[in-house]
Amino acid sequence: MQENNRVPRVIVVDFGAQYGQLITRRIRDLNVYSELVSHDVDFAEIEADLPAAIVLSGGPASVYAEGAPTLDSRFLELGVPVLGFCYGMQVMASTLGGTVPQTDIGEYGPAELTRCDVESQLFCDTPLEQTVWMSHRDSVGSVPAGFVVTASTPTTAIAAMECPSRQLYATQFHPEVHHTVYGNQMLKNFLFDIAKLEASWTMNSIIDEITATVREQVGDEKVILGLSGGVDSSVVAALLSHAIGKQLTCVFVNHGLMRKGEPEEVERVFTKQFDANFVYVDAREQYAQALAGVSDPEQKRKIIGTEFWHVFFAEAAKLEAADGKPVKFLAQGTIYPDVIESGSKSASKIKSHHNLIPFPDGVHFELIEPLRNLFKDEVRALGATLGLPESMVYRQPFPGPGLAVRIIGDVTLEKLEILRNADAIVREEIDAYNHQLFEQTGVRDSERSVWQYFAVLPDIRSVGVMGDERTYAHPIIIRAVESRDAMTADWARLPHELLAKISSRIVAEVEGVNRVAYDITSKPPGTIEWE
Ligand code: XMP
């Protein structure tokens, strides 16, 4: 699947749509593989790896505006079914000789659509009148030769058009948005009846696909992977050990900055459950020395990153020395949003920058990125299918520099111990609270459930009294936020009883802590992490 030459794919040509990724998601949810490509993708690439169907996304521009993205007319002549939405419809119309006059009246939000009295495979099994979601100013004024109008709304006379003999279909509205009540049915009609695709892209087929591709790519060479215990690298490790067994070496560097129980879990899963070579490097002392006396957050991050590569390359060198055979491949947990976001070009265009990356000492690895076509929740589903434990698959975001950026000021082994113990209590209690909400509502991300939660250790001490003794010890700050994507976040309105329980447990159970505070700052202006 890495080269996408095995599974039939539907490409979504992106005209700068708000909903581009969403269209890809909807198609994948119907078990058909789909990729987003930029409207200015090199056409030769598309011809060389012909998609089974094409969707033209919406976009913010006016088709006649200067610099508006255009459509290479050859997309419409490939002989594969094409479905355009919104701007995608307008650009289809204007490319083929229809008109798209500028209008003063836009249409935003729900609209009542009426089907015309013509046969339409796209609208099959949908009622004559239905609610759709509109978001446009311009619209098609006259359809190109050979097209028929298939639906209208009170504002938009040509709300859908098609030319079945050329397999060209278009809607002014957005079928990918849930508010378009029969949108999913239309997508199904397009994929399964018009494009004759099968709903065969399932987690098991993805595993088979990646396994075959990786085996072909790797041959009998060695592959190395830096396993961090995060979702992506864990899924890559599970997948590759399934595909190539002991040709894979997972290097797990315990830098002493992980949460309670995590290093043990990583070791257990990848020694007992999976068949790869697992190299455990205990680098706790080394990291503690490198970090001693450093309190600047950026400096900490830099040291932690640099140390990792030192340790990792030392292990790679040992692996080569063992039998004299170089390690040819480096596996990485790059996922699809990383690919899309690194330039919003087509996935295939981005690939070329990634083929070979140079490392110090003249070392070169070729990259293997088996998850580069998958969204985060697909990666999680894949991990679950491969048998990874839930705690790994649904792990919360956790910074690469780990607890070092949750200790404000310099990092010591003693502070790490305090934070690890306090953090375990915060997580245990809020895990239980989330679980209870889930039991009540049946929704994992219900409105009140908490998205990310952890403890922070600031660089201060304060006075307290425990028993008859005066204490002078650290406070712990609880951070718990609600968010969807970490871009914005709000502090979680946790019940007072829950906060009280966490507070009394931390002070009673964690030596060196005499006070607990709750961070009530949203993002912005705060960030989720403290460093
Ligand atoms: P901030 O603190 O910027 O964090 O609001 C946003 C999200 O990113 C996570 N985060 C990191 N993740 N490496 C990572 O992989 C990092 O260095 C890092 N720093 C912050 C953070 O936990 C939150 O979910």
Side-chain angles (χ1 to χ4, degrees):
M1 198 180 67
Q2 207 154 12
E3 294 306 326
N4 300 316
N5 52 4
R6 295 163 196 268
V7 248
R9 64 180 185 140
V10 175
I11 58 168
V12 176
V13 181
D14 186 8
F15 290 102
Q18 202 181 346
Y19 301 122
Q21 282 197 34
L22 186 61
I23 302 171
T24 314
R25 296 310 315 268
R26 290 275 176 272
I27 296 172
R28 290 183 179 203
D29 287 345
L30 294 169
N31 299 113
V32 173
Y33 180 63
S34 174
E35 269 184 0
L36 199 62
V37 303
S38 172
H39 65 90
D40 62 358
V41 63
D42 182 358
F43 186 74
E45 279 184 33
I46 303 298
E47 259 185 324
D49 183 10
L50 210 59
I54 298 172
V55 174
L56 310 176
S57 86
S62 216
V63 273
Y64 299 122
E66 205 176 314
T70 52
L71 174 68
D72 187 326
S73 60
R74 290 174 295 177
F75 274 100
L76 305 175
E77 290 152 13
L78 283 168
V80 304
V82 182
L83 174 60
F85 301 157
C86 196
Y87 187 84
M89 167 161 169
Q90 296 162 15
V91 84
M92 183 190 283
S94 65
T95 306
L96 296 174
T99 59
V100 185
Q102 280 185 328
T103 53
D104 290 334
I105 315 161
E107 201 179 15
Y108 301 94
E112 287 313 309
L113 183 93
T114 306
R115 287 176 54 184
C116 301
D117 189 16
V118 286
E119 281 271 313
S120 166
Q121 249 184 316
L122 189 68
F123 283 97
C124 195
D125 293 331
T126 75
L128 286 179
E129 309 227 321
Q130 51 187 292
T131 304
V132 298
W133 188 259
M134 289 286 197
S135 181
H136 67 104
R137 179 158 288 277
D138 301 346
S139 57
V140 173
S142 61
V143 299
F147 275 73
V148 288
V149 179
T150 50
S152 62
T153 70
T155 313
T156 306
I158 304 178
M161 63 177 196
E162 63 186 54
C163 178
S165 60
R166 294 174 66 189
Q167 300 193 91
L168 303 179
Y169 300 80
T171 66
Q172 183 54 60
F173 57 89
H174 289 270
E176 73 278 23
V177 175
H178 277 308
H179 308 280
T180 296
V181 179
Y182 292 90
N184 216 35
Q185 182 62 45
M186 292 170 206
L187 281 178
K188 283 188 195 169
N189 292 343
F190 178 68
L191 297 173
F192 304 128
D193 297 333
I194 294 169
K196 308 268 183 286
L197 281 154
E198 281 178 19
S200 57
W201 194 70
T202 60
M203 282 302 141
N204 284 323
S205 80
I206 295 170
I207 293 171
D208 291 347
E209 189 61 45
I210 296 177
T211 300
T213 309
V214 166
R215 283 184 184 155
E216 196 178 304
Q217 187 183 357
V218 168
D220 61 359
E221 300 289 342
K222 292 193 231 172
V223 181
I224 194 167
L225 164 75
L227 179 59
S228 70
V231 180
D232 304 338
S233 71
S234 299
V235 175
V236 171
L239 198 52
L240 293 189
S241 65
H242 171 83
I244 54 170
K246 294 227 181 310
Q247 280 170 264
L248 170 71
T249 299
C250 301
V251 177
F252 172 61
V253 179
N254 183 4
H255 49 23
L257 309 171
M258 291 180 84
R259 290 169 290 193
K260 197 167 191 161
E262 284 185 325
E264 294 78 8
E265 180 173 54
V266 173
E267 186 173 16
R268 182 174 46 74
V269 169
F270 290 102
T271 52
K272 304 266 185 295
Q273 204 180 330
F274 291 94
D275 185 34
N277 287 318
F278 180 82
V279 177
Y280 175 97
V281 187
D282 184 353
R284 285 177 289 184
E285 281 293 335
Q286 186 175 333
Y287 271 80
Q289 277 171 20
L291 287 168
V294 180
S295 51
D296 176 63
E298 284 318 303
Q299 195 64 20
K300 284 192 216 171
R301 282 174 189 270
K302 210 165 152 193
I303 291 171
I304 292 163
T306 312
E307 268 322 290
F308 175 79
W309 287 112
H310 281 159
V311 178
F312 186 81
F313 282 120
E315 289 306 319
K318 278 190 212 163
L319 206 61
E320 294 199 4
D323 61 2
K325 189 172 171 180
V327 178
K328 186 166 179 194
F329 294 99
L330 173 73
Q332 284 199 334
T334 316
I335 67 172
Y336 198 46
D338 307 332
V339 175
I340 296 176
E341 276 148 30
S342 58
S344 69
K345 287 281 176 187
S346 78
S348 43
K349 267 199 175 172
I350 287 163
K351 255 178 226 167
S352 54
H353 317 187
H354 273 275
N355 289 341
L356 211 63
I357 48 171
F359 288 98
D361 311 316
V363 183
H364 284 79
F365 292 113
E366 279 181 44
L367 280 192
I368 294 195
E369 297 174 309
L371 308 179
R372 60 175 293 124
N373 294 323
L374 302 180
F375 288 104
K376 191 80 182 188
D377 55 343
E378 292 167 342
V379 171
R380 291 190 208 276
L382 196 61
T385 308
L386 287 160
L388 285 175
E390 251 197 32
S391 52
M392 242 178 206
V393 168
Y394 292 101
R395 191 181 192 249
Q396 289 181 16
F398 185 59
L403 298 181
V405 292
R406 293 179 180 170
I407 292 175
I408 315 308
D410 67 328
V411 179
T412 63
L413 291 174
E414 186 209 349
K415 286 184 192 169
L416 279 167
E417 190 61 15
I418 292 175
L419 181 58
R420 215 185 321 272
N421 289 330
D423 183 71
I425 294 172
V426 171
R427 289 194 295 137
E428 192 182 312
E429 291 299 335
I430 304 182
D431 278 349
Y433 169 72
N434 265 350
H435 184 72
Q436 194 188 331
L437 283 181
F438 176 57
E439 298 268 286
Q440 280 167 12
T441 61
V443 186
R444 209 167 276 286
D445 293 321
S446 71
E447 237 166 69
R448 286 175 303 146
S449 67
V450 193
W451 192 76
Q452 189 177 3
Y453 37 99
F454 52 87
V456 176
L457 180 64
D459 195 18
I460 51 169
R461 285 169 200 252
S462 73
V463 174
V465 57
M466 283 169 102
D468 292 333
E469 301 263 322
R470 174 188 183 277
T471 57
Y472 189 57
H474 287 290
I476 280 288
I477 293 153
I478 304 169
R479 184 69 165 141
V481 295
E482 290 166 6
S483 177
R484 290 208 153 261
D485 51 14
M487 301 295 283
T488 60
D490 198 4
W491 59 279
R493 273 42 170 191
L494 295 178
H496 288 176
E497 311 81 68
L498 175 60
L499 288 168
K501 188 168 179 206
I502 295 172
S503 166
S504 55
R505 275 197 64 192
I506 289 177
V507 175
E509 295 174 34
V510 183
E511 208 174 318
V513 177
N514 65 354
R515 196 180 285 273
V516 176
Y518 188 37
D519 180 352
I520 53 167
T521 322
S522 59
K523 172 184 179 176
T527 47
I528 296 177
E529 302 288 346
W530 272 51
E531 280 195 344

